[in-house]
Amino acid sequence: MNNDLKAKLVEIPVKILALIIAFMVILRFAYVFYNFLEDPFHEPAALSEEAVKHVMVSLILLELLALTLRFLIHDIIDPNLLLITVLTALGREIIILDLKEVDYTKIIALGLVFAITIFGLHILKQRDSEV
């Protein structure tokens, strides 16, 4: 009975935090969508770099929202889904980088996050092969 109470005391703040994250992701998505609607295409009428950035950020936000909602509904975090989301978010961030005006610390940080993610994937696959 005492363990159930402790589990509930831990579960409640985690659920509240997940709801706050979901709300923040939805607000950010709304901001990105509104910003895109203000000026979607520049002269000439073509898909501009800014529009591509908005689409990529929107896709990343939707994946984060899907992860958060999955956690809220099923109370599980699938590590494979988490790693796939991180890798696709990193890939999209690399795609929208402007190499002419990029800060090299950002490239180093992206590389570090990518290396940590690959290492996590290696550990996950190693653990699955042992089981």
Side-chain angles (χ1 to χ4, degrees):
M1 185 89 165
N2 195 14
N3 288 336
D4 290 339
L5 181 62
K6 288 180 183 177
K8 286 288 184 190
L9 288 176
V10 169
E11 182 180 345
I12 291 171
V14 169
K15 292 284 186 173
I16 291 171
L17 184 63
L19 281 172
I20 291 170
I21 291 170
F23 182 69
M24 289 169 50
V25 168
I26 290 171
L27 279 178
R28 175 69 178 167
F29 180 73
Y31 171 75
V32 168
F33 186 70
Y34 175 74
N35 200 4
F36 175 71
L37 286 179
E38 281 184 336
D39 192 17
F41 300 108
H42 302 283
E43 297 296 328
L47 194 61
S48 68
E49 183 179 334
E50 201 63 30
V52 171
K53 285 183 181 181
H54 286 308
V55 170
M56 292 294 184
V57 169
S58 297
L59 290 174
I60 292 168
L61 290 171
L62 284 175
E63 288 174 351
L64 289 175
L65 181 63
L67 271 175
T68 306
L69 291 178
R70 182 179 172 99
F71 171 72
L72 283 172
I73 294 170
H74 300 293
D75 286 335
I76 57 170
I77 297 176
D78 185 14
N80 291 324
L81 187 60
L82 183 65
L83 286 172
I84 289 171
T85 303
V86 169
L87 288 174
T88 55
L90 282 172
R92 289 187 181 123
E93 185 65 32
I94 291 169
I95 288 171
I96 63 174
L97 276 178
D98 185 10
L99 294 177
K100 295 174 187 167
E101 301 174 6
V102 72
D103 181 17
Y104 291 102
T105 56
K106 185 174 184 176
I107 292 178
I108 292 170
L110 284 173
L112 186 63
V113 170
F114 187 72
I116 291 170
T117 306
I118 294 297
F119 184 68
L121 181 62
H122 174 70
I123 290 174
L124 183 69
K125 294 303 174 188
Q126 199 173 39
R127 185 191 62 154
D128 286 343
S129 65
E130 290 175 0
V131 174

